[in-house]
Amino acid sequence: MKSLPIILLFSIVLFLLVNVSQGLEKLDRGVIALTRNDGNVYIGWRLLASDPSDISFDVLRCSEPMGEYEKVNNSLIKDSCNFTDTNPEDKNWYYVIHPVSDEIKLSDSIPVKSSAADTAEGCLKIKLRGNYGANKIGIADLDGDGVYDYIIKQPASSIDPGRQRRSSGTYVIEAYNGKTGVFMWSYDLGWNINQGIWFSPVIVYDLDGDDRAEVAYKSAPYAATHEEAFISPGGFVLEGPEYCSVLDGMTGTETGKVDWIARGNPEDWGDNRGNRVNRNQLGVAYLDGKRPSLLVLRGTYTKMRIDAYNYMDKKLQKLWSWFGDDENPPLRGQGAHSMHAFDIDNDGRDEMIIGSAAIDDTGKCLWRINMGHPDWFYLADVDPVRPGLEIAYGFESRQSRNGICLVEPRTGQIIWGCDHPTIHIHDWGMVSDIDPNNPGMEVYGMERDGRISWLYSAQGKLLASNEDLGRHGPRSFYWLDGLIKVRVPFSYRSGTFPILKYKNTQVGEIRGQPIAIADCLGDWREEVITVQDGVIRIYTTTIPSTSRRVCLMQDHLYRMDVAMQMMGYFYPPQIGGKVIIEKTY
């Protein structure tokens, strides 16, 4: 075969032509090569939305990155995007994926060495600059090379606005190159941003369509010391300017800044402790169906406001502002701990589901449920019998019925709901296909006391009561061969956690604090990302799959969900069944 340097040169040119012409987020093959405990090497790679339907693959290997590569598989790989090299000969090979198609000439992947993984733990590692953790991580391509990079907000500590206390330090945003693991830049938010997720939302996404992601975040005038900051006696910053700022993803330098939604008199948001005024979020949505817009949110439990911006020519340009009090009747207290963006009314433009209400792309309320604050909610294809998606809710506010329910996204109408009262369905919820004996996803909710829980089928049938699937909300993901998901117990602290099937059969283990789930490497199964003791650990399955599907990050809802994992509470992303919108701007 041809020498690798010539192949790589052709690969770069063709990679750009194929991916940019499709208008999708530019991605490479995402090849992983992990040496398993049995000594065999598992190789996984991406199927891209731009791939022709007849594509198949060969796996090549060589002892040197630029040497002559030999074919490892006996026949073309047509039905999956993984392969196990059962004869590695105790060598650390370089592996290359060679796509084959009669329709178009495609590029080979960049060589990946099998020793890149930690064999003992079954994960990839990125070493941080210090021995700290992180409470959030963003996944995006900062330099346009088709490889996802990792942006953390450290340290791991986080203050809830409901409990006044002083921050122990300042938050720092740090970026690491996903290909090399090399530190790229850092940005200190300073003492005028309290250490808590609601004081410091961050989102990382390509806002201007140049194939390099920006970092948007809530900022305030930099204060190097505690004494210089606008800190109240209770420990929270309740005065002084607030901004929405944008950093260049390559360098970490500020490129744009606008005023954050004004806090005004903090007590006007519902209390005098700095709690409800400090409920801030950031989101992204394709409001015109063509380009991403940045969403700035303030308020969850009382007043609620949204500002929408486009990022153009390194500036944030306002599209509209929405204020719940301007609705008739006023819309208050319907917010959640995250948000979802998707075209729920089939007009080609994204709407925002901000809790128990949906906001149209024009900045007007599309519908409201008026059931108060949901502690968790998921937009997903819960019921495969019904066409389209559904929203599953667990409500913190006391309900006589429907405290756990399924809702139609276009209208906000309840499809089914529990027929028993609920007191406070906590964040300990899950929506996932974990039971192969029932079609579609199961819906799990637990009361705040941690003792009373319910598991429902996609059609609303009660499957189990008081079956503890994991407090603090088990996080589920694709890991096995098939569409049944597994789960890990969630914790706000680091530890060692089992990967479990529905009836608690352990199929793996992770270490660290779980802070993200995303299909960021390998085939369509998902990775679990943890941070502990100065190390980012990216856990990926080495279980062979007998099926293939397009990289989940090229599904629009899924990609939006992953972007918004970096702010608010951590919820696993869901599939919307729609390829991400083409860039036509």
Side-chain angles (χ1 to χ4, degrees):
M1 62 176 290
K2 294 181 180 180
S3 63
L4 196 60
I6 297 176
I7 294 174
L8 285 177
L9 180 62
F10 180 77
S11 299
I12 293 171
V13 175
L14 193 59
F15 177 81
L16 293 174
L17 287 174
V18 170
N19 284 272
V20 173
S21 66
Q22 294 292 325
L24 301 172
E25 185 176 32
K26 187 178 71 175
L27 295 176
D28 72 357
R29 286 287 167 201
V31 180
I32 55 172
L34 286 82
T35 303
R36 303 191 314 197
N37 290 332
D38 60 8
N40 297 329
V41 178
Y42 171 91
I43 304 103
W45 60 92
R46 291 187 181 116
L47 181 69
L48 301 171
S50 57
D51 284 334
S53 58
D54 73 334
I55 193 170
S56 54
F57 301 93
D58 282 326
V59 178
L60 316 176
R61 74 181 186 184
C62 185
S63 59
E64 300 177 1
M66 296 300 178
E68 292 291 325
Y69 278 68
E70 62 182 15
K71 180 178 173 181
V72 184
N73 51 300
N74 294 324
S75 57
L76 281 171
I77 302 169
K78 299 180 180 180
D79 299 322
S80 70
C81 285
N82 54 76
F83 178 80
T84 302
D85 186 355
T86 58
N87 188 29
E89 302 173 359
D90 294 326
K91 294 182 181 180
N92 290 323
W93 295 98
Y94 289 89
Y95 290 91
V96 164
I97 302 304
H98 173 65
V100 178
S101 171
D102 292 332
E103 298 180 19
I104 187 173
K105 179 67 176 178
L106 294 168
S107 58
D108 285 4
S109 68
I110 295 172
V112 172
K113 193 176 182 180
S114 61
S115 61
D118 184 303
T119 303
E121 291 191 51
C123 66
L124 303 171
K125 291 183 178 181
I126 295 176
K127 179 66 177 169
L128 304 179
R129 292 195 303 164
N131 191 33
Y132 42 76
N135 73 6
K136 288 293 176 181
I137 189 165
I139 303 165
D141 184 1
L142 298 177
D143 54 12
D145 64 354
V147 177
Y148 283 124
D149 304 303
Y150 300 92
I151 307 91
I152 67 167
K153 186 176 65 175
Q154 60 93 354
S157 59
S158 183
I159 299 169
D160 190 288
R163 299 178 181 178
Q164 275 195 335
R165 59 187 174 92
R166 293 180 181 272
S167 300
S168 60
T170 64
Y171 273 145
V172 179
I173 301 172
E174 293 183 354
Y176 292 84
N177 186 283
K179 183 184 294 184
T180 64
V182 172
F183 166 78
M184 297 176 65
W185 52 261
S186 68
Y187 194 94
D188 193 328
L189 298 185
W191 279 96
N192 275 322
I193 295 293
N194 288 109
Q195 280 188 334
I197 59 173
W198 302 116
F199 304 96
S200 62
V202 180
I203 197 164
V204 188
Y205 198 78
D206 178 14
L207 297 172
D208 59 4
D210 66 354
D211 293 318
R212 298 194 301 267
E214 287 75 36
V215 180
Y217 63 105
K218 183 177 181 289
S219 64
Y222 178 75
T225 67
H226 180 272
E227 290 71 25
E228 295 173 324
F230 299 104
I231 298 176
S232 70
F236 291 167
V237 176
L238 296 178
E239 58 180 309
E242 299 173 290
Y243 309 109
C244 177
S245 298
V246 177
L247 301 178
D248 180 277
M250 283 277 290
T251 64
T253 57
E254 185 180 281
T255 60
K257 181 171 69 176
V258 294
D259 289 337
W260 195 268
I261 296 169
R263 67 165 77 85
N265 180 1
E267 294 186 27
D268 291 345
W269 296 82
D271 60 59
N272 61 1
R273 297 176 289 109
N275 177 12
R276 294 182 175 182
V277 69
N278 279 313
R279 300 290 173 160
N280 303 281
Q281 297 186 50
L282 278 169
V284 63
Y286 284 71
L287 299 178
D288 64 357
K290 300 175 183 179
R291 66 177 304 141
S293 298
L294 185 66
L295 307 170
V296 176
L297 291 79
R298 181 170 224 143
T300 298
Y301 299 103
T302 50
K303 294 198 302 184
M304 302 175 67
R305 299 194 75 126
I306 303 174
D307 286 345
Y309 295 89
N310 279 348
Y311 182 66
M312 302 171 64
D313 301 322
K314 306 300 181 184
K315 295 179 181 179
L316 288 169
Q317 302 180 8
K318 184 175 284 189
L319 296 174
W320 48 255
S321 292
W322 172 82
F323 184 24
D325 282 10
D326 291 337
E327 298 288 343
N328 187 18
L331 196 159
R332 285 189 168 204
Q334 306 298 308
H337 295 308
S338 185
M339 63 173 292
H340 299 291
F342 196 68
D343 177 13
I344 58 176
D345 60 2
N346 298 318
D347 64 356
R349 300 182 295 273
D350 281 348
E351 286 70 44
M352 298 135 284
I353 309 172
I354 58 173
S356 53
I359 308 302
D360 204 357
D361 54 90
T362 58
K364 302 293 183 182
C365 181
L366 186 65
W367 52 256
R368 60 171 86 187
I369 303 177
N370 291 326
M371 291 177 63
H373 162 62
D375 219 19
W376 56 261
F377 76 113
Y378 288 91
L379 175 64
D381 187 8
V382 178
D383 187 351
V385 178
R386 292 187 71 259
L389 307 182
E390 297 82 29
I391 311 172
Y393 282 106
F395 282 94
E396 178 179 304
S397 48
R398 184 186 294 265
Q399 307 291 334
S400 60
R401 58 184 296 119
N402 301 329
I404 301 171
C405 63
L406 201 68
V407 166
E408 206 285 315
R410 184 185 180 94
T411 63
Q413 296 298 309
I414 293 176
I415 300 168
W416 61 258
C418 64
D419 59 3
H420 54 79
T422 54
I423 300 171
H424 180 152
I425 299 299
H426 212 351
D427 183 47
W428 307 333
M430 178 175 62
V431 177
S432 179
D433 191 357
I434 58 172
D435 186 354
N437 297 316
N438 295 286
M441 295 184 175
E442 286 70 51
V443 180
Y444 173 72
M446 177 179 279
E447 290 280 13
R448 187 177 184 176
D449 64 8
R451 293 176 295 177
I452 304 172
S453 63
W454 301 270
L455 182 69
Y456 286 93
S457 73
Q459 294 77 35
K461 178 183 177 183
L462 182 62
L463 301 175
S465 297
N466 303 331
E467 184 175 7
D468 188 350
L469 298 180
R471 298 187 184 186
H472 298 296
R475 270 44 175 182
S476 65
F477 51 96
Y478 293 114
W479 188 262
L480 305 174
D481 181 16
L483 296 178
I484 299 301
K485 290 188 176 185
V486 297
R487 71 186 194 275
V488 293
F490 179 69
S491 173
Y492 290 102
R493 295 182 176 88
S494 295
T496 300
F497 304 102
I499 300 175
L500 301 168
K501 294 171 67 174
Y502 172 42
K503 292 298 183 181
N504 294 329
T505 301
Q506 185 168 339
V507 294
E509 188 176 83
I510 64 171
R511 186 159 67 93
Q513 180 184 350
I515 57 176
I517 289 172
D519 177 18
C520 54
L521 291 168
D523 73 357
W524 59 271
R525 273 87 58 83
E526 295 170 287
E527 281 67 52
V528 181
I529 302 176
T530 72
V531 179
Q532 182 187 37
D533 301 331
V535 178
I536 299 173
R537 291 178 171 85
I538 306 171
Y539 287 90
T540 186
T541 185
T542 59
I543 299 170
S545 173
T546 57
S547 61
R548 71 182 192 184
R549 64 187 304 170
V550 170
C551 170
L552 302 187
M553 292 287 265
Q554 293 188 304
D555 176 278
H556 182 51
L557 173 61
Y558 190 94
R559 187 65 186 90
M560 297 294 96
D561 277 1
V562 169
M564 286 182 268
Q565 274 187 134
M566 200 180 180
M567 68 91 202
Y569 284 179
F570 159 40
Y571 299 109
Q574 303 295 326
I575 299 169
K578 180 179 178 182
V579 170
I580 198 165
I581 299 165
E582 292 190 7
K583 294 185 291 188
T584 57
Y585 53 97

